[in-house]
């Protein structure tokens, strides 16, 4: 098996490229979500202290997702996005800026981010399911790691 991806070496470059890109983009998205919540929390809690547990919960969820993708990138030797510093600055500014606009703006930002991430992940799942169907139709072993994705 390739140290690079959760597919045997005979997988096509298209498969490898898709998975490299998907995992890299997913990790960057989870980084952004984590930083948005980190930046939103102090301004929001100053005016809405009752949101503390919600903000902690949302941040913890995203931090877990971020850690998962960090692990997958390291395991498969995929580099993080080169735009990491840009993502960091943009996500922090977005989080802080929406929190400064108020609770409604911060929650609208959260909803928009989660909706976009959900659509993005659903698209990736559709591609992976199609690959699994093709592999199974050819009698190829799918493997536990790809099922986990």
């Amino acid at each position: 098996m390739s140290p690079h991806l959760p597919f045997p070496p005979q997988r096509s470059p298209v498969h490898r490229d898709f998975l490299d890109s998907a995992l890299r983009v997913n990790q960057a998205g989870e980084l952004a979500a984590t930083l948005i919540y980190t930046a939103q929390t102090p301004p929001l809690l100053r005016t809405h202290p009752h949101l503390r547990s919600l903000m902690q919960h949302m941040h913890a969820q995203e931090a877990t997702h971020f850690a998962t993708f960090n692990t997958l990138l390291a395991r498969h030797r995929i580099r993080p996005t080169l735009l990491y510093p840009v993502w960091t600055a943009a996500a922090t500014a977005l989080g802080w800026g929406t929190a400064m606009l108020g609770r409604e703006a911060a929650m609208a930002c959260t909803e928009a981010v989660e909706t976009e991430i959900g659509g993005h992940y659903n698209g990736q799942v559709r591609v992976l399911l199609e690959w699994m169907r093709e592999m199974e139709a050819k009698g190829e072993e799918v493997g536990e790691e790809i099922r986990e994705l």
Side-chain angles (χ1 to χ4, degrees), residues 14-89:
V14 171
H15 289 127
R16 282 193 308 275
D17 290 348
F18 172 81
L19 289 170
D20 275 7
S21 175
L23 293 175
R24 183 179 301 114
V25 167
N26 293 352
Q27 188 261 1
E30 297 300 343
L31 165 68
T34 302
L35 291 172
I36 287 168
Y37 293 140
T38 298
Q40 283 179 337
T41 299
L44 277 179
L45 294 184
R46 270 195 289 283
T47 55
H48 303 285
H50 63 283
L51 294 177
R52 180 176 307 280
S53 64
L54 174 64
M55 296 305 292
Q56 287 173 335
H57 171 74
M58 291 189 312
H59 182 273
Q61 231 177 2
E62 299 307 329
T64 300
H65 299 161
F66 182 53
T68 297
F69 284 110
N70 285 337
T71 299
L72 287 169
L73 261 62
R75 181 183 309 152
H76 301 294
R77 299 179 184 163
I78 299 169
R79 68 163 174 77
T81 178
L82 295 174
L83 298 175
Y84 205 99
V86 174
W87 275 105
T88 299

